[in-house]
């Protein structure tokens, strides 16, 4: 993996979004494993050990995939291509901003100030673009965030409603408008803070759930966000090969841990299309 030269966010929105993720994820982690879990299961019991292990496994994947997404350089600056292959016929084009020849499926990002190989989108929560070499880590980061929030939601319901003193309409207001907790105060109890974390986890579950559906649908169709409205079926090689294009040759194992190597089938520059893929498959048969 080639490390990005500049990993700091380029805009204030990216900066504050990253600060939010770097703050809320450890906070929810602490809440679930050191507050909720001991309240539901006794220490040194089998259920406690199982849930504690699962929680740390999920956290490891969130942190690992988030780190790799940020560190991995997916710009065109990481590649050197012979000039003879860089022709418009092969899908190359001139990027007037970078003033260089950009390979097929690459797009310029005004925030990152460079062209990104197989650019999907710019993610404000990681402060970088999601492209060919870090797409896998972004998807797994998103997936494990969703799993974590669903897992937390299931157990938080047992924990939170046994502790919250329900008062109509104040509790309803605080549930619908989480920031109202800061306006009306915490009522001198830590339970109000727990309620805020519960609400944040519910919102996170809904948000990451929608994002998972959107991005995994793109993966299964063989395109990225920048291609969803154009050339949608050009690179559709079948669902299994489409997954390999993003997760690599060991796609069935990459969900286990981010540190597992899984070689991608291309170099981020040359691509198989639906027509060439079908022709090659016929020849191989």
């Amino acid at each position: 993996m080639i490390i990005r030269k500049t990993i700091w966010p380029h805009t204030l929105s990216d900066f504050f979004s990253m600060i939010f993720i770097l703050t809320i994820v450890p906070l929810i982690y602490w809440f679930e494993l050191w507050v909720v879990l001991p309240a539901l299961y006794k220490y040194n019991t089998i259920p406690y050990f199982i849930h504690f292990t699962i929680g740390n496994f999920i956290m490891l994947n969130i942190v690992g995939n988030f780190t790799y997404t940020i560190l991995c350089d997916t710009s065109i600056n990481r590649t050197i291509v012979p000039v003879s292959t860089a022709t418009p016929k092969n899908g190359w084009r001139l990027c007037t901003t970078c003033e260089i020849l950009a390979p097929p499926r690459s797009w310029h990002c005004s925030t990152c100030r460079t062209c990104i190989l197989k650019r999907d989108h710019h993610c404000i929560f990681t402060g970088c673009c999601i492209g060919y070499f870090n797409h896998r880590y972004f998807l797994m980061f998103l997936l494990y965030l969703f799993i974590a929030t669903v897992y937390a939601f299931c157990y938080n319901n047992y924990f939170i409603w046994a502790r919250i003193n329900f008062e109509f309409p104040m509790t309803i207001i605080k549930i619908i408008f989480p920031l109202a907790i800061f306006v009306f105060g915490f009522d001198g109890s830590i339970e109000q803070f727990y309620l805020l974390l519960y609400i944040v986890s519910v919102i996170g579950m809904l948000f990451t759930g929608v994002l998972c559906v959107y991005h995994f649908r793109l993966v299964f169709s063989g395109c990225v966000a920048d291609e969803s409205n154009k050339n949608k079926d050009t690179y559709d090689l079948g669902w299994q090969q489409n997954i390999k294009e993003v997760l690599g040759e060991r796609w069935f194992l990459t969900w286990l841990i981010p540190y597992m190597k899984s070689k991608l089938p291309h170099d981020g520059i040359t691509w198989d299309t639906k027509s060439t893929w079908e022709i090659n498959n016929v020849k191989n048969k």
Side-chain angles (χ1 to χ4, degrees), residues 216-248:
F216 278 96
R217 180 183 62 83
L218 291 176
V219 171
F220 278 98
S221 61
C223 66
V224 293
D226 280 337
E227 297 169 341
S228 57
N229 296 322
K230 55 184 177 180
N231 302 326
K232 186 175 182 180
D233 299 324
T234 303
Y235 302 101
D236 186 359
L237 309 180
W239 70 269
Q240 187 170 350
Q241 185 61 32
N242 291 341
I243 293 176
K244 289 182 180 180
E245 295 286 323
V246 176
L247 302 184

Side-chain angles (χ1 to χ4, degrees), residues 34-268:
W34 273 268
V35 178
V36 177
L37 185 59
L40 299 179
Y41 299 101
K42 291 183 179 180
Y43 180 71
N44 277 342
T45 60
I46 293 178
Y48 179 93
F49 174 77
I50 291 174
H51 290 295
F52 188 81
T53 302
I54 293 175
N56 280 284
F57 171 76
I58 293 174
M59 186 63 176
L60 174 66
N61 275 279
I62 290 175
V63 173
N65 284 295
F66 178 78
T67 304
Y68 275 9
T69 300
I70 294 175
L71 293 181
C72 184
D73 182 13
T74 191
S75 69
I76 64 174
N77 297 326
R78 62 175 293 162
T79 58
I80 300 176
V81 182
V83 179
S84 59
T85 63
T87 63
K89 183 180 179 180
N90 295 327
W92 289 73
R93 57 181 179 78
L94 175 65
C95 177
T96 56
T97 305
C98 296
E99 296 184 344
I100 57 174
L101 290 174
R105 308 189 78 182
S106 66
W107 287 272
H108 184 85
C109 177
S110 57
T111 303
C112 295
R113 301 165 193 159
T114 186
C115 286
I116 305 297
L117 295 170
K118 197 186 177 184
R119 182 180 183 269
D120 186 79
H121 71 287
H122 182 89
C123 178
I124 62 174
F125 294 106
T126 60
C128 65
C129 269
I130 308 303
Y132 186 60
F133 291 100
N134 66 352
H135 199 179
R136 160 199 168 182
Y137 304 114
F138 168 76
L139 287 176
M140 293 299 104
F141 166 65
L142 191 61
L143 176 63
Y144 274 98
L145 274 181
F146 177 64
I147 293 173
T149 50
V150 171
Y151 195 16
F153 175 74
C154 294
Y155 285 93
N156 286 350
N157 286 323
Y158 293 103
F159 172 83
I160 203 72
W161 297 113
R163 292 173 171 267
I164 297 298
N165 183 21
F166 191 89
E167 298 178 358
F168 185 84
M170 198 59 63
T171 303
I172 298 297
I173 294 175
K174 291 178 179 180
I175 291 175
I176 299 176
F177 305 102
L179 294 181
I181 292 177
F182 295 103
V183 177
F184 296 106
F186 289 96
D187 299 334
S189 65
I190 194 65
E191 278 73 18
Q192 295 298 330
F193 179 62
Y194 292 163
L195 178 60
L196 175 62
L197 295 180
Y198 169 75
I199 295 169
V200 170
S201 66
V202 171
I203 295 173
M205 177 183 66
L206 298 175
F207 181 66
T208 54
V210 171
L211 289 180
C212 278
V213 172
Y214 174 74
H215 284 287
F216 278 96
R217 180 183 62 83
L218 291 176
V219 171
F220 278 98
S221 61
C223 66
V224 293
D226 280 337
E227 297 169 341
S228 57
N229 296 322
K230 55 184 177 180
N231 302 326
K232 186 175 182 180
D233 299 324
T234 303
Y235 302 101
D236 186 359
L237 309 180
W239 70 269
Q240 187 170 350
Q241 185 61 32
N242 291 341
I243 293 176
K244 289 182 180 180
E245 295 286 323
V246 176
L247 302 184
E249 295 176 353
R250 305 174 75 182
W251 60 274
F252 48 90
L253 294 175
T254 51
W255 63 273
L256 285 173
I257 195 167
Y259 312 109
M260 181 173 294
K261 293 183 178 180
S262 182
K263 185 179 179 181
L264 293 169
H266 294 96
D267 56 7

